[in-house]
Amino acid sequence: MKRLILCADDYALAPGVSRAIRELAAAGRLNATSVMTPGPDLAAEARRLMAVAPPGFQIGLHVTLTGGLPPLTAPRLAMAEGIGSLLMRSHLRRLDRAAVAAEIAAQMQAFIAAFGAPPAFVDGHQHAHLLPGIRDLVVAAAERHAPGAWIRQCSGPGGAGTGLKGQVIAGLSRGLRRLLVRHGIATNPAFSGAYDFRRAAEFAAIFPAFLARLPDAGLVMVHPGHVDAALRRVDPVLAPRAHEFAYLAGDTFPADLATAGFTLA
């Protein structure tokens, strides 16, 4: 059996998302999650997660530079904007790199304060850590604050998942992979999990495609959650989280893993 890293992104985004991830972790349906340290009540959410996380469960930092959460530092950077705007600014070299670096460092320090240790790995909300002008800052922060951490790259045998979205993410990952090689930083050998959220109702049929041709220790990202009022205020991705949770908590998921020759153990 090949080992799969199944990582639930967005822990601490909202109470319903955190609760869903804890439930799946306690049930052995996940073996990793990445944490949004600008999220509300971080210290309490960290304690709740550590209380249920089984041995070997990996907890990482989800560097958050976009979306509805307020940043830990000022100014707001691009956090009130979507990934499209941040992508454009990064390619046009119109980022305030000093401000971005300060925010990443603050998020690293908040993680260490909440969990009592550096993150096991580092990735980025909406894959912002892949972008030029940002990826080198993420690497520098990891080397300084979490020297033993690996950093998530986002390409695999078939791209980064399904459709055009997966191909775009895989393409953005090439620069990060080269940077990680130069710095001697470990990374996951392959990645999958991207799909069109408009097809979320079909998640049970989509998930097995993520596992196709994925090597041992490959990573699949998921976004399970219970939709609550707090989530509605900060994020537009709602129904997909409920569909993903239902699949991961159900009987079909472990059967699909076994059929594909994977284990989370």
Side-chain angles (χ1 to χ4, degrees), residues 129-197:
H129 70 299
L130 304 179
L131 300 180
I134 294 176
R135 58 191 176 224
D136 65 310
L137 300 179
V138 171
V139 166
E143 289 182 319
R144 179 177 181 183
H145 299 283
W150 54 273
I151 297 179
R152 179 199 287 181
Q153 66 91 16
C154 300
S155 66
T162 64
L164 178 61
K165 181 178 180 180
Q167 297 300 320
V168 170
I169 293 170
L172 288 171
S173 195
R174 286 195 290 267
L176 176 63
R177 293 201 311 272
R178 291 192 294 267
L179 186 61
L180 296 178
V181 169
R182 289 200 299 272
H183 284 255
I185 295 175
T187 189
N188 49 300
F191 171 92
S192 194
Y195 72 101
D196 186 341
F197 285 145

Side-chain angles (χ1 to χ4, degrees), residues 47-224:
R47 289 193 297 271
R48 295 180 188 116
L49 178 59
M50 290 188 289
V52 301
F57 190 89
Q58 297 190 70
I59 304 174
L61 173 66
H62 202 47
V63 173
T64 304
L65 301 176
T66 61
L69 294 176
L72 299 180
T73 61
R76 285 193 60 86
L77 309 176
M79 295 183 72
E81 305 170 9
I83 187 62
S85 174
L86 186 63
L87 188 153
M88 181 178 298
R89 287 169 57 187
S90 69
H91 280 86
L92 293 175
R93 300 183 180 180
R94 293 182 178 175
L95 292 171
D96 183 342
R97 281 173 46 85
V100 172
E103 179 64 23
I104 295 170
Q107 292 184 19
M108 282 276 190
Q109 292 161 356
F111 184 102
I112 293 168
F115 288 93
F121 63 94
V122 180
D123 56 36
H125 186 50
Q126 297 183 320
H127 314 291
H129 70 299
L130 304 179
L131 300 180
I134 294 176
R135 58 191 176 224
D136 65 310
L137 300 179
V138 171
V139 166
E143 289 182 319
R144 179 177 181 183
H145 299 283
W150 54 273
I151 297 179
R152 179 199 287 181
Q153 66 91 16
C154 300
S155 66
T162 64
L164 178 61
K165 181 178 180 180
Q167 297 300 320
V168 170
I169 293 170
L172 288 171
S173 195
R174 286 195 290 267
L176 176 63
R177 293 201 311 272
R178 291 192 294 267
L179 186 61
L180 296 178
V181 169
R182 289 200 299 272
H183 284 255
I185 295 175
T187 189
N188 49 300
F191 171 92
S192 194
Y195 72 101
D196 186 341
F197 285 145
R198 292 173 297 183
R199 297 183 58 205
E202 307 167 47
F203 189 73
I206 292 171
F207 187 87
F210 297 153
L211 304 179
R213 297 185 289 147
L214 205 65
D216 183 55
L219 183 149
V220 171
M221 69 169 181
V222 289
H223 298 84

